[in-house]
Structure formats: C-alpha cells, structure tokens
C-alpha cells in the first residue's frame, strides 16, 4: 500500500514575485519530511491558497505522520 498524495488549489491564478529556487526548496523539504514520516495507507496533502486581503501566497502541507512532540 502506498501513501496517497492530494493537492488542493484554492486559487486559479496568482501573480507575484518570488525566488523560485528558494520556493522550490521549501516545498520540497516540507513534502519530503511529510512523506518520510507518513506510513503507507495514509495521506499527505499540499494546499495552496491566497490571502487576498494581505496579498500572501499560503502553502500548507498536512499529513497523517507521527508529528512533532509538543515540547519541540
């Protein structure tokens, strides 16, 4: 059984300035960690949305992995 990967895009199009290499590293690291600590049969989800009021791109990664201890 494999890990299910789901993408949710709550925006059709968004224009802005970004360092593409750094953005790519951030997304890669978030997803890499999510997949590393998520067991087979569980879900990893990438959510992309825009805060229109503050003109901010929001990237979220949700997973069903072991998580981080609250003390850390």
């Amino acid at each position: 059984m494999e890990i299910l990967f789901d993408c949710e895009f709550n925006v059709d199009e968004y224009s802005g300035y970004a360092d593409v290499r750094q953005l790519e590293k951030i997304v890669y690291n978030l997803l890499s960690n999510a997949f590393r600590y998520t067991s087979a049969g569980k879900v990893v989800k990438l959510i992309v949305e825009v805060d229109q009021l503050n003109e901010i791109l929001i990237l979220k990664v949700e997973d069903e992995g072991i998580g981080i201890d609250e003390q850390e």
Side-chain angles (χ1 to χ4, degrees):
M1 189 175 281
E2 298 177 5
I3 297 170
L4 176 65
F5 179 57
D6 186 26
C7 295
E8 182 179 310
F9 297 94
N10 296 326
V11 61
D12 293 326
E13 188 175 288
Y14 185 71
S15 296
Y17 298 99
D19 184 328
V20 176
R21 289 183 193 165
Q22 294 303 319
L23 186 58
E24 186 177 81
K25 284 181 186 179
I26 291 167
V27 173
Y28 176 84
N29 285 334
L30 289 170
L31 289 174
S32 177
N33 287 333
F35 279 102
R36 183 178 302 125
Y37 296 107
T38 298
S39 302
K42 302 286 184 170
V43 178
V44 171
K45 181 189 270 189
L46 172 65
I47 303 167
V48 180
E49 51 192 31
V50 172
D51 177 339
Q52 296 287 351
L53 180 63
N54 297 305
E55 298 180 338
I56 298 172
L57 178 67
I58 301 169
L59 301 172
K60 298 179 187 178
V61 174
E62 296 178 355
D63 63 67
E64 298 180 316
I66 60 174
I68 300 172
D69 190 283
E70 284 187 33
Q71 295 176 350
E72 293 183 36

